[in-house]
Amino acid sequence: RKARIVAGALIEGDDEVDDSGNAGSWIQLVLMLEEYLDGAEVDCDLIFDSAQPVYGCVTDNWPTVEPYFNETGSNCPSVLSRAQQQELLELSVRSVQALGFVLGVFHVECKYTSRGARLIEVNCRMGGGPVRDMNLIVWGVDLVEEHLMACAGIPVRPPIARRPLKEIAEYSINAKVTGVLEHTKYLDAWKEHPDVMYARPLVQPGHKCVCVADGLPTWVCELMVNKPSVREAISFVKAIEESLDIPITPGARH
């Protein structure tokens, strides 16, 4: 059987039909499937010097919004056991070394599954979003400074706190309905709270938001909080999320 392009879509064809638009001569119809991994997802942020790790930190990632796997929140330090964190860090270090990298900052994503630590991906860069801030706030390590020193040939020896300087949780809130955001005043009550490090909108008034039922969800706002314990921080930021009345006027669905 042959593949054809019809109105921009790749469809399966028959030998009897017109051969125009046939894609069989230039495209390989091969599928690559990625295994679904159960368990807790984490970020392992590493700094390497001379092919050896000089810093490693585990940050817990919260369950994503499926089927798009859109991120929701994270906390640091990790609530996983020391043994689980050690297994994840060892896997991350071996993965970076197996790829032949020797210097700089790496953002390795893993899961601790029902079968133990499993690798998702190795990013040959610093992680995005709140990653730099979380490492700096909790462990006193500035990933940007350390990477710049590595690039300049200065030996990388980050000053790592012996215990967490703060215990924090952050939440990137996904839109629950599709529509237009009316205003951002819904965050005002939390901006000056002593335990809220930031509460900021990611969507401006008048812009459209999308919920998971209609496509890749829109991040509407982001929060970061600190408490005496990380579990308290997690509970607190989730309570804030539940209290927010985000003013999205429902609009046309996709």
Side-chain angles (χ1 to χ4, degrees):
R1 301 175 70 84
K2 299 179 179 179
R4 296 185 300 135
I5 302 295
V6 177
L10 183 66
I11 66 170
E12 191 175 24
D14 295 306
D15 292 337
E16 292 78 13
V17 300
D18 179 19
D19 200 43
S20 62
N22 177 44
S25 62
W26 56 270
I27 189 171
Q28 291 187 357
L29 303 181
V30 177
L31 293 178
M32 183 176 70
L33 302 180
E34 185 174 3
E35 179 185 4
Y36 177 86
L37 299 174
D38 65 352
E41 183 175 344
V42 303
D43 294 335
C44 294
D45 294 300
L46 305 175
I47 302 176
F48 265 60
D49 191 7
S50 301
Q52 297 299 317
V54 294
Y55 171 74
C57 165
V58 176
T59 297
D60 297 333
N61 291 337
W62 300 352
T64 56
V65 179
E66 298 185 18
Y68 300 98
F69 297 94
N70 214 32
E71 296 169 347
T72 53
S74 61
N75 58 267
C76 191
S78 173
V79 299
L80 296 176
S81 69
R82 288 183 179 272
Q84 290 172 324
Q85 292 184 57
Q86 187 64 32
E87 187 177 343
L88 289 159
L89 286 169
E90 288 176 357
L91 172 62
S92 299
V93 167
R94 292 198 309 270
S95 299
V96 172
Q97 291 172 333
L99 292 169
F101 296 110
V102 298
L103 184 67
V105 173
F106 300 89
H107 182 72
V108 184
E109 299 183 14
C110 302
K111 273 193 169 185
Y112 199 89
T113 74
S114 55
R115 295 173 293 157
R118 292 293 185 272
L119 175 69
I120 299 176
E121 63 185 31
V122 175
N123 296 282
C124 308
R125 55 167 175 78
M126 182 183 72
V131 168
R132 185 236 180 174
D133 290 343
M134 295 184 80
N135 281 269
L136 181 58
I137 292 168
V138 177
W139 299 111
V141 176
D142 191 326
L143 299 178
V144 172
E145 287 187 359
E146 299 301 326
H147 190 72
L148 290 173
M149 286 191 286
C151 292
I154 301 172
V156 181
R157 300 294 184 270
I160 308 169
R162 297 179 64 88
R163 297 178 60 85
L165 302 174
K166 289 184 180 292
E167 310 227 354
I168 61 178
E170 62 87 21
Y171 205 153
S172 297
I173 297 175
N174 291 259
K176 295 182 179 179
V177 297
T178 295
V180 175
L181 184 70
E182 297 300 322
H183 60 77
T184 58
K185 296 178 182 178
Y186 62 94
L187 289 172
D188 288 353
W190 295 105
K191 289 182 177 179
E192 302 303 323
H193 192 286
D195 294 329
V196 175
M197 303 177 73
Y198 60 69
R200 52 199 183 205
L202 298 175
V203 176
Q204 296 304 311
H207 287 220
K208 185 177 182 180
C209 302
V210 177
C211 71
V212 67
D214 299 318
L216 179 67
T218 303
W219 286 319
V220 180
C221 62
E222 57 184 357
L223 307 162
M224 182 178 286
V225 306
N226 75 93
K227 283 285 187 180
S229 76
V230 69
R231 293 188 186 276
E232 289 179 272
I234 294 169
S235 297
F236 180 48
V237 78
K238 288 184 175 181
I240 295 176
E241 188 272 339
E242 291 177 1
S243 75
L244 292 178
D245 182 17
I246 302 177
I248 299 175
T249 302
R253 296 168 67 100
H254 289 303

